Amino acid sequence: MEDLRQRLTQPSVESKQEASGKVISYLAITLIGGLVATILIFLTWKGIALFTGNHYSLWDFLSGIKWWPSDHVFGALPMIATSFIVTLLSGVIALPLALVVAIAITEILPSTAYKFLQPTIELLVGIPSVVYGYVGLTVIVPFLRRFFGGTGFGILAATCVLFLMILPTMTSMTIDSFRAVPKQYRNASAGLGATRWQTISRVIIPSAKSGILTAMVFGMARAFGEALAVQMVIGNTTVMPTGLMHSAATLTSVLTTGIGNTVMGTISNNALWSLALILLVMSLAFNLLMRLVSRKGVK
């Protein structure tokens, strides 16, 4: 009897597995959280060294328009402005086309088209950025040079490359948002006598609005943080942008070209880490914006 009571009261195999699973999950969460915290602390520490250690003015750094590392003049405004310009332009151009393609695939074309096009779009999402940069260097830049003159390098070339990069991502996310709309919404709209376009414009798009906005923000976040592809076609001239066909530089292009040519701990190196801190802050802002958009859509 005592043996039976002991067997009935001892933890089961399932409870032991659950306990071990919780321990592994907590360890993984702690490890990931520690890595993220370490990255944030390290980038913040290195990013503020220009202002705390070298006593460079934060206002001069954010509002200055001259980037002359040899003279210890660091004005980040041209790179910040260029980064926002190419990001906004590529996002504004890509979103309508992504919306049209997603509507065609989910609401107009037969289901066989979705089975073929969806894997193709996902394949384009996974193409490395250097491939897009090479396409921009060999196709887009010569095309712009032939039709608009100049070198072909500049903001317009970078915008075209980023447009090609983020379009598959935004299209794939928009398709998922449309497919998440319940089929009952479509049936109810058709039952009320609405046409296909009325159903799309007044039922499906409003229902998927949060997903569409999330796709736009996610695509723009990827465009803002892109380095190699933009560096290959933008010209890398650290001046205030004055035209779409003029060479410029983004935060990422200056980082990738300059970080290997500086000595750790020097003022020039600290200035580049400050640019990296700006990128980190903007990435956090994009993530916060995506969460706000998603939460608003849920409500």
Side-chain angles (χ1 to χ4, degrees):
M1 181 66 68
E2 185 66 25
D3 184 45
L4 178 61
R5 185 183 298 110
Q6 184 178 4
R7 283 189 295 173
L8 291 175
T9 56
Q10 69 180 359
S12 63
V13 176
E14 289 77 10
S15 62
K16 292 180 180 179
Q17 292 176 346
E18 182 180 359
S20 60
K22 287 183 178 180
V23 172
I24 295 174
S25 299
Y26 291 148
L27 288 176
I29 293 173
T30 303
L31 177 61
I32 295 174
L35 289 175
V36 173
T38 302
I39 293 173
L40 292 176
I41 294 173
F42 177 76
L43 278 178
T44 303
W45 172 60
K46 296 293 292 184
I48 64 175
L50 178 68
F51 316 112
T52 58
N54 302 116
H55 304 291
Y56 198 85
S57 172
L58 176 62
W59 174 252
D60 292 340
F61 180 77
L62 295 177
S63 63
I65 61 174
K66 296 179 180 179
W67 184 268
W68 297 340
S70 58
D71 296 331
H72 294 174
V73 177
F74 306 101
L77 185 59
M79 287 79 75
I80 297 174
T82 304
S83 296
F84 276 105
I85 289 173
V86 297
T87 299
L88 291 175
L89 286 177
S90 59
V92 168
I93 296 173
L95 180 61
L97 187 56
L99 193 60
V100 171
V101 173
I103 290 174
I105 292 176
T106 57
E107 306 299 328
I108 299 176
L109 298 177
S111 58
T112 54
Y114 170 80
K115 294 179 181 179
F116 171 75
L117 293 175
Q118 181 67 9
T120 304
I121 294 173
E122 293 177 354
L123 179 64
L124 293 175
V125 173
I127 293 178
S129 59
V130 65
V131 176
Y132 286 104
Y134 184 73
V135 171
L137 189 64
T138 57
V139 178
I140 296 176
V141 170
F143 176 83
L144 296 178
R145 184 190 304 125
R146 185 180 305 112
F147 284 89
F148 296 100
T151 62
F153 296 93
I155 294 177
L156 184 57
T159 300
C160 294
V161 170
L162 289 178
F163 161 74
L164 293 176
M165 285 188 60
I166 67 176
L167 178 60
T169 301
M170 296 175 66
T171 302
S172 180
M173 295 181 67
T174 306
I175 290 174
D176 293 338
S177 300
F178 285 160
R179 290 179 63 85
V181 177
K183 189 176 180 180
Q184 292 83 348
Y185 289 10
R186 298 172 174 84
N187 295 336
S189 178
L192 292 174
T195 63
R196 174 184 290 182
W197 174 245
Q198 288 174 332
T199 301
I200 293 173
S201 61
R202 300 181 184 181
V203 177
I204 298 175
I205 293 179
S207 299
K209 179 175 63 177
S210 63
I212 296 171
L213 293 177
T214 301
M216 181 185 68
V217 175
F218 186 84
M220 294 175 65
R222 183 185 180 189
F224 192 88
E226 180 53 42
L228 185 57
V230 173
Q231 176 191 343
M232 295 172 69
V233 298
I234 199 169
N236 302 309
T237 305
T238 54
V239 295
M240 282 296 293
T242 56
L244 295 179
M245 291 301 299
H246 293 176
S247 296
T250 61
L251 293 168
T252 52
S253 65
V254 172
L255 275 171
T256 53
T257 56
I259 197 67
N261 300 320
T262 59
V263 179
M264 185 69 72
T266 61
I267 186 173
S268 300
N269 184 265
N270 291 338
L272 294 176
W273 281 110
S274 298
L275 295 181
L277 181 60
I278 294 177
L279 279 173
L280 174 65
V281 172
M282 291 308 306
S283 298
L284 295 176
F286 277 118
N287 287 320
L288 178 61
L289 183 59
M290 280 190 287
R291 290 180 62 87
L292 292 176
V293 170
S294 301
R295 185 176 301 176
K296 185 178 180 180
V298 171
K299 292 182 180 180

